[in-house]
Amino acid sequence: MDLKNLVAEYRLRVETHLEKVMQAEQPAPHLQQAMHYSLFNGGKRVRPVLVYMANQLLQGELKNADIPACAIEAIHSYSLVHDDLPAMDDDDLRRGKPTCHIAFDEATAILAGDGLQALAFDLLSSPDSSLEPRIQLQMMQSLAKASGNFGMVAGQSIDLCNVGKQVSLQQLELMHQHKTGALICSSIEMGALSSGKATEQDLHSLQQYAAAIGLAFQVKDDILDIEGDTATIGKPQGSDLAQDKPTYPALLGMAGAKQKLDLLNQQAHATIDGYGDAAAPLHWLADYIVERNY
């Protein structure tokens, strides 16, 4: 199995479906342009890929993973649009391109984020879905919790409240378990649910895997903020340092942060060893998160 090509196929699949969704005529063309710009600005599509991988691990039908894959990417894209706003991180670049509020304007960026958030739940609740209503409801609850005040939004708030402050390692992990990890956990959960075959043990094991790679994703981001460069990582190098944000290298030192990253990688692999060769794509993705340079 060529796992790199498999991931590329999943990325193309979700982008094809997102393109179809965004081609539908909308009453506000300027808003539609901003939403499209934010969805198609070079994302790695890690979360949709996780949806597809979890679905296939449990031998589900891939078509049943399309809607949750699109929904998670819509939520993720909305979060980045709002994260970049002047009132939040005030970033001018995202993935090497002007952020939404720079390419359009601040008000349009806020509305584009709102539109993308609503789009996610519109997709999941579609009466034309091939998913059972019970599964649709479980997915909506998973994504709502992961993206709201019990998940990503809570993490954003903790982050903003601690700029310029000393935090403990436990506080930092709590922030990132919500800010980054919650959506990654929801990706895995929705993918497993879309198979229609997920047991409680499957959900538990996959949530442990997701928690490990979710935290690893953030540790790697913190390392790249220092060791990467603007052209490679697609945003201003050192932006977290400039804003005096709490990071793993700041708390643990660079060597300690890299050791933490390696430990999380080992934990991720251990949680899915019981699935044997069927989990090869998830093993590959765990290593990709650790080894990526952007």
Side-chain angles (χ1 to χ4, degrees):
M1 182 188 299
D2 189 333
L3 296 176
K4 191 172 182 179
N5 285 340
L6 178 67
V7 170
E9 287 178 15
Y10 288 159
R11 286 173 177 162
L12 178 61
R13 186 180 181 98
V14 74
E15 287 176 355
T16 299
H17 283 279
L18 284 169
E19 192 67 68
K20 288 179 182 177
V21 169
M22 292 308 299
Q23 283 176 356
E25 187 176 351
Q26 297 183 24
H30 185 65
L31 174 62
Q32 184 174 4
Q33 290 169 15
M35 290 171 64
H36 188 281
Y37 179 85
S38 302
L39 274 173
F40 293 93
N41 68 341
K44 296 180 284 293
R45 314 300 190 196
V46 169
R47 291 154 191 83
V49 165
L50 276 169
V51 174
Y52 288 126
M53 285 184 175
N55 170 280
Q56 290 296 281
L57 176 71
L58 301 181
Q59 300 180 323
E61 291 190 46
L62 202 57
K63 67 177 184 179
N64 290 337
D66 289 328
I67 286 178
C70 289
I72 196 74
E73 191 65 11
I75 288 287
H76 177 55
S77 297
Y78 126 70
S79 75
L80 299 182
V81 171
H82 282 194
D83 194 34
D84 291 333
L85 289 168
M88 301 276 275
D89 285 354
D90 195 17
D91 279 327
D92 293 340
L93 286 177
R94 169 68 64 179
R95 298 165 180 158
K97 297 179 181 179
T99 49
C100 188
H101 69 276
I102 296 296
F104 294 85
D105 57 71
E106 189 174 350
T108 300
I110 293 171
L111 293 174
D114 292 344
L116 288 168
Q117 182 187 45
L119 174 64
F121 294 101
D122 183 27
L123 290 170
L124 284 177
S125 61
S126 171
D128 297 326
S129 172
S130 58
L131 299 167
E132 294 180 18
R134 174 181 59 86
I135 298 295
Q136 286 181 279
L137 283 172
Q138 286 179 281
M139 288 184 179
M140 284 189 283
Q141 184 179 44
S142 172
L143 190 55
K145 283 187 175 181
S147 58
N149 58 305
F150 289 99
M152 179 192 67
V153 171
Q156 285 280 26
S157 179
I158 296 169
D159 188 6
L160 291 171
C161 288
N162 284 288
V163 173
K165 296 180 181 179
Q166 293 290 324
V167 299
S168 68
L169 181 61
Q170 184 178 14
Q171 289 172 315
L172 185 63
E173 291 197 359
L174 177 68
M175 177 179 79
H176 289 308
Q177 282 166 356
H178 289 79
K179 183 179 177 181
T180 305
L183 283 187
I184 288 178
C185 286
S186 183
S187 302
I188 282 280
E189 184 175 13
M190 290 196 296
L193 289 170
S194 75
S195 75
K197 303 174 183 178
T199 66
E200 287 299 319
Q201 182 57 52
D202 288 326
L203 293 173
H204 177 71
S205 297
L206 290 173
Q207 287 287 1
Q208 286 186 312
Y209 168 84
I213 66 167
L215 204 51
F217 200 96
Q218 188 58 54
V219 176
K220 183 64 174 184
D221 268 2
D222 287 353
I223 291 170
L224 287 173
D225 185 67
I226 296 172
E227 292 190 343
D229 61 81
T230 298
T232 303
I233 64 178
K235 66 176 184 176
Q237 186 270 339
S239 60
D240 290 343
L241 190 63
Q243 295 179 45
D244 199 20
K245 282 194 167 189
T247 65
Y248 285 93
L251 275 180
L252 301 175
M254 185 57 75
K258 290 181 177 180
Q259 185 177 25
K260 175 75 172 178
L261 184 62
D262 184 58
L263 177 61
L264 289 167
N265 183 246
Q266 292 177 36
Q267 290 173 351
H269 287 300
T271 61
I272 53 172
D273 276 342
Y275 290 101
D277 292 343
L282 290 172
H283 285 295
W284 181 93
L285 190 65
D287 289 337
Y288 165 80
I289 286 170
V290 169
E291 295 166 4
R292 68 196 165 95
N293 61 1
Y294 61 94

